DNA sequence: TCAAAACCTGACCAAAGTGTCAACTTATTA
DNA sequence: TAATAAGTTGACACTTTGGTCAGGTTTTGA
């Protein structure tokens, strides 16, 4: 008889058939992401997470010792998507292409992962309490690196002077917006006659407007 | 003996000394705004709202029949701030000044009313469930009106072609960002050496970048 | 095949939180 | 000043929900 697994990882030395554990945890995290995203931390009930992942509640607690631990695990996982889009910003590219790619990538990611994006944004609004020191540090490092790229471009005369951090804020907030606020936007910004604004051009609109203001060589 | 005031307005025909009622409701709403903003709907506990407004919990229920009713009342109140900044966008002004003023006004408002702003943004992320049909309609109408102003400017050659709705989204998201994400921004975007980016120039940075991309007459 | 580890789960708490109520005090008004 | 309405409140009922647990079943490995 096992004496209280303590809702923790088994000291399963080798990787002997990690299938059950892996699948269940994946299932729980997937359900949790969706529900935390819709309801927020306090609004989410673990009974609901359990049901959505097809496991009885007690089984969820077999893998996670608390609601907070589940939330933390979810958030941890989200960070991974953070820097993918940022990869497009690299010195060896022309700023025009790079920024355009960045915007497109960010928008695509955001759209394809609305749930995660929203949850991430929400967590950050709440003060990023659950982000580990390591994750915060990581975000800082990546950002700093990209700031330097922008500064290099400016120094090389490829870009008009602009505060790189403010630029990132503009780009990030604009792309994020389309995921977070699309429901509102659809409702509040639509004309009743004009059946809606064209979201498919969001990337282009942002790109063009920002780039027109940044490129020294006239219009794009 | 009064038989169950039913947590409702008294049929106080005249406006005979509405002071007590008015003050208490104001106090409750003020506390509720702050707590809903910090904790979200589910995270907020009415006991906390009661304490923050200096009233016993049961007294809160004397004025409001449910948590939802308090929330609804708070949200209703927030809409009022929505169009104030928008007033700056008027046809008889030069787009350059108008947009600059709009950005500045929006940023100022957002900064001065971080709590309300955050709550409003959050409610909208959640799908604006608690906004009345009337309020949604109002937002739509105001937006449509301002879209027409931008279109007029473009038609008059005062502005390069741009989708007005996308422009508003960019402006709104950028300004909103500074209220919602300032905690993150402070943490994630700061260099450890550079003690922080200059938030006081946010308005200018947004203005310059956007305007440089929109004005036909070269740089601002 | 058998023991130990891993996994599963119905039933159960204790805490927390929403909303209620009956009785009390204060204000209003005729 | 008396009657009635408005406001106040401690205590409590009821529900939800995070979390536990004892004992069960399945998987693993020797």
């Amino acid at each position: 008889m096992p004496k209280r697994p303590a809702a923790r990882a088994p000291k399963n030395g080798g990787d002997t058939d990690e299938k059950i554990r892996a699948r269940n945890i994946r299932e729980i995290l997937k359900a949790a992401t969706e529900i935390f995203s819709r309801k927020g931390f306090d609004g989410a009930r673990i009974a609901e997470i359990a049901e959505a992942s097809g496991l009885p509640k007690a089984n969820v607690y077999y893998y996670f010792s608390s609601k907070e631990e589940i939330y933390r695990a979810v958030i941890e996982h989200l960070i991974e998507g953070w820097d993918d889009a940022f990869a497009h910003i690299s010195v060896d590219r022309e700023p025009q292409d790079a920024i355009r790619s960045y915007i497109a990538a960010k928008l695509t990611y955001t759209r394809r992962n609305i749930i995660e994006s929203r949850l991430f944004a929400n967590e950050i609004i709440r003060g990023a309490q659950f982000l580990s020191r390591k994750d915060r540090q990581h975000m800082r490092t990546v950002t700093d690196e990209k700031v330097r790229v922008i500064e290099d471009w400016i120094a090389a005369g490829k870009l008009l002077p602009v505060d790189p951090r403010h630029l990132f804020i503009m780009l990030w907030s604009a792309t994020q917006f389309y995921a977070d606020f699309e429901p509102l936007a659809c409702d509040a910004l639509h004309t009743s006659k004009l059946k809606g604004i064209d979201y498919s051009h969001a990337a282009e609109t942002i790109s063009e407007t920002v780039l027109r203001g940044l490129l020294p060589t006239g219009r794009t």
Side-chain angles (χ1 to χ4, degrees), chain A:
Chain A
M1 307 103 210
K3 54 292 303 190
R4 304 231 353 302
R8 275 305 176 169
K11 46 208 71 147
N12 190 343
D15 53 358
T16 48
D17 195 4
E18 195 75 346
K19 265 185 292 186
I20 296 178
R21 186 178 191 78
R23 174 171 47 79
N24 282 345
I25 288 183
R26 180 165 32 82
E27 228 38 59
I28 293 170
L29 253 32
K30 188 175 135 205
T33 304
E34 215 243 302
I35 287 161
F36 278 133
S37 166
R38 281 215 322 269
K39 312 276 190 76
F41 181 80
D42 290 291
R45 275 154 300 124
I46 56 138
E48 199 181 345
I49 293 174
E51 195 187 8
S53 53
L55 296 169
K57 197 181 61 168
N59 205 352
V60 170
Y61 274 100
Y62 176 73
Y63 292 104
F64 296 93
S65 64
S66 70
K67 186 180 183 177
E68 192 177 312
E69 193 178 306
I70 301 177
Y71 188 72
R72 216 179 279 275
V74 168
I75 292 292
E76 197 86 4
H77 183 258
L78 296 183
I79 304 272
E80 296 170 18
W82 161 263
D83 24 37
D84 285 349
F86 247 155
H88 290 277
I89 308 285
S90 67
V91 235
D92 52 320
R93 300 184 64 179
E94 283 304 302
Q96 187 163 340
D97 302 328
I99 293 178
R100 235 191 276 274
S101 303
Y102 171 76
I103 293 173
K106 197 92 176 57
L107 255 180
T108 304
Y109 173 81
T110 301
R111 283 221 183 88
R112 286 219 187 106
N113 305 276
I114 297 184
I115 302 160
E116 289 84 352
S117 257
R118 191 170 304 172
L119 179 52
F120 191 63
N122 228 282
E123 163 61 15
I124 277 160
I125 284 182
R126 302 260 171 244
Q129 318 171 31
F130 290 100
L131 281 181
S132 68
R133 187 166 297 278
K134 197 192 67 192
D135 288 327
R136 292 162 181 254
Q137 184 57 52
H138 172 72
M139 289 171 74
R140 247 185 308 235
T141 309
V142 173
T143 307
D144 286 347
E145 184 191 320
K146 298 311 177 183
V147 163
R148 240 168 286 124
V149 173
I150 300 285
E151 283 169 349
D152 284 354
W153 280 337
I154 294 172
K158 289 180 173 179
L159 220 55
L160 290 177
V162 66
D163 183 324
R165 290 167 200 281
H166 282 298
L167 174 62
F168 288 147
I169 287 180
M170 275 188 60
L171 295 182
W172 196 54
S173 61
T175 50
Q176 187 66 46
F177 184 99
Y178 284 90
D180 290 346
F181 294 79
E182 208 147 315
L184 164 84
C186 287
D187 195 67
L189 297 182
H190 282 183
T191 324
S192 30
K193 348 155 202 171
L194 232 174
K195 203 54 200 149
I197 62 176
D198 190 0
Y199 278 106
S200 61
H201 287 73
E204 290 70 24
T205 304
I206 298 174
S207 301
E208 295 316 306
T209 307
V210 170
L211 287 175
R212 279 201 300 213
L214 289 177
L215 296 177
T217 55
R219 314 278 165 259
T220 54

